[in-house]
Amino acid sequence: MKISTVIELTEATLVCGGDKTELMVERAFSSDLMSDVLTLDTEGLLLITGLANIQTIRTAEMADIHYILFVRNKKVTPEMAELAGENHMVLLATPFSLFKTSGILYKHGLKPVY
Amino acid sequence: MIIEQTYQVRGGDFAHAGDASSKVKKLLKQLDVDPRKIKSIVIALYEAEVNIVAHAWEGIIRILIDRDHIRMVLEDKGPGIADIEQAMVEGYSTASREVREMGFGAGMGLSNIKRNTDQMEITSRVGEGTVLTMVNYF
């Protein structure tokens, strides 16, 4: 699924990484637990999370995750956006809940990790 | 080729937790190490760095990169681990609410470190601190 389709389906705003919206994600993982995210071994992953802090971006950096979708319009701080930019990430924010976001994307063909 | 690096880590400083791991990741990329190996190394190192921030008062990370392996030694001053065997059990955690709010403290760190390293050794003294040594081959 293209990032632009993720944006469209979840009515998301693009926080950073606007030059990468035509890139594809194959799978998604929804979690607020970064410890769990660090156990994943999946390429081309979209992380859907309600946890918006600098460690969310750090975790993605270490786990080679390039796409993060924050739910419930969680605020991305300038420090988070800067770190994401340094690591060439795409950050998105949707007003939808974690459950609704995951449901919509799953229904439209985005695959789960497990 | 031997590269040595040292990084200081402050307990409770979540704003900078991961800075050392990020620097090591960039260094390994420059050295053209296999990306999958880099991922395992930095995930183990990041888990360990977060452990210092979450549990200890201060710590030091020493990195030694040789031709075919990396050795990472994390030494902290802190409360130590009374029962290492119990701490290795997935789900066991003594993390504070603050740590859990950062998305950690689920009792998964040490087992994930073990999974991502070729060698791992922990020694600890209660009330003094912990030394974690990790080795990964390229």
Side-chain angles (χ1 to χ4, degrees), chain A residues 1 3 5-15 25 28-32 45-52 56-57 65-74 76 90-98 100-102 104-105 110:
Chain A
M1 183 182 288
I3 294 295
T5 310
V6 173
I7 293 173
E8 195 183 316
L9 290 172
T10 61
E11 297 177 21
T13 24
L14 184 76
V15 182
V25 281
F29 189 74
S30 303
S31 182
D32 290 349
L45 188 75
L46 171 72
L47 172 62
I48 307 169
T49 185
L51 187 82
T56 311
I57 313 292
I65 292 169
H66 298 107
Y67 314 103
I68 306 176
L69 173 54
F70 292 104
V71 298
R72 299 280 295 125
N73 272 333
K74 290 280 158 36
V76 174
V90 178
L91 299 188
L92 309 171
T94 173
F96 300 167
S97 69
L98 187 65
K100 184 173 172 179
T101 304
S102 306
I104 289 171
L105 295 176
L110 204 53

Side-chain angles (χ1 to χ4, degrees), chain B residues 1 10 79 83 93-94 102 133:
Chain B
M1 169 203 72
R10 277 185 300 176
D83 186 341
S93 177
T94 57
M102 298 302 287
T133 305

Side-chain angles (χ1 to χ4, degrees), chain A residues 9-114:
Chain A
L9 290 172
T10 61
E11 297 177 21
T13 24
L14 184 76
V15 182
C16 72
D19 55 330
K20 300 177 191 73
T21 53
E22 292 308 293
L23 295 179
M24 302 284 286
V25 281
E26 238 189 276
R27 291 174 193 276
F29 189 74
S30 303
S31 182
D32 290 349
L33 185 60
M34 295 303 108
S35 304
D36 220 1
V37 175
L38 285 168
T39 64
L40 302 177
D41 191 17
T42 310
E43 306 279 313
L45 188 75
L46 171 72
L47 172 62
I48 307 169
T49 185
L51 187 82
N53 62 47
I54 196 81
Q55 294 312 322
T56 311
I57 313 292
R58 276 288 183 223
T59 297
E61 179 192 356
M62 300 307 155
D64 290 334
I65 292 169
H66 298 107
Y67 314 103
I68 306 176
L69 173 54
F70 292 104
V71 298
R72 299 280 295 125
N73 272 333
K74 290 280 158 36
K75 289 282 167 285
V76 174
T77 64
E79 292 78 20
M80 288 166 66
E82 192 186 330
L83 188 58
E86 276 173 26
N87 288 286
H88 315 291
M89 290 176 194
V90 178
L91 299 188
L92 309 171
T94 173
F96 300 167
S97 69
L98 187 65
F99 180 72
K100 184 173 172 179
T101 304
S102 306
I104 289 171
L105 295 176
Y106 182 82
K107 195 173 85 179
H108 284 83
L110 204 53
K111 294 179 199 153
V113 176
Y114 295 110

Side-chain angles (χ1 to χ4, degrees), chain B residues 12 16 34 43 55 59 78 87 91 96-97 103 119 128 134 136:
Chain B
H16 295 100
D34 174 0
I43 281 181
H55 298 286
S96 65
R97 193 172 62 94
Q119 289 170 27
E128 290 181 29
M134 309 183 285
N136 277 46

